[in-house]
Amino acid sequence: MQVTGEIDPKTGYVIDMKVLSDLIEREVHQRFDHKNLNLDTDAFVNLIPTAENIVVVIYQLLRPHIDPSHDLKIRLYETERNFVEYPG
């Protein structure tokens, strides 16, 4: 994941890593980690869980929680050399 934007002069961060870590845990890991995406998640009831679709779903889950003035990019690795980014 990549969050880019202006550094907040009050905190010195673009985004606090603890806040980001908690957000990922809540919105991504708790929903998808160790789950059969086809059977155990609402997000993929009618959507094939390809890497391309998974990365878009993750982006859509996280984007509302990131400051709109910041850019967000999600990178999902299938292997060391094979990954998908969204938005591209």
Side-chain angles (χ1 to χ4, degrees):
M1 168 188 288
Q2 179 181 12
V3 178
T4 56
E6 295 294 320
I7 296 171
D8 183 334
K10 293 177 188 171
T11 66
Y13 299 125
V14 171
I15 188 169
D16 185 314
M17 293 304 293
K18 173 68 170 130
V19 171
L20 187 58
S21 177
D22 290 347
L23 175 63
I24 294 167
E25 176 62 31
R26 182 181 72 242
E27 296 297 326
V28 179
H29 288 163
Q30 288 180 11
R31 286 178 204 251
F32 302 131
D33 193 34
H34 291 90
K35 303 271 175 79
N36 180 324
L37 297 180
N38 292 305
L39 302 175
D40 300 334
T41 67
D42 293 335
F44 296 100
V45 168
N46 296 310
L47 186 63
I48 299 169
T50 61
E52 291 85 346
N53 284 335
I54 294 168
V55 78
V56 171
V57 167
I58 291 171
Y59 178 90
Q60 291 170 341
L61 289 169
L62 297 177
R63 180 72 257 186
H65 303 283
I66 305 291
D67 186 318
S69 69
H70 294 148
D71 291 325
L72 173 64
K73 182 181 281 190
I74 306 297
R75 179 181 287 180
L76 178 65
Y77 283 88
E78 289 186 308
T79 68
E80 282 185 27
R81 292 194 205 146
N82 187 21
F83 62 88
V84 178
E85 285 185 340
Y86 184 83

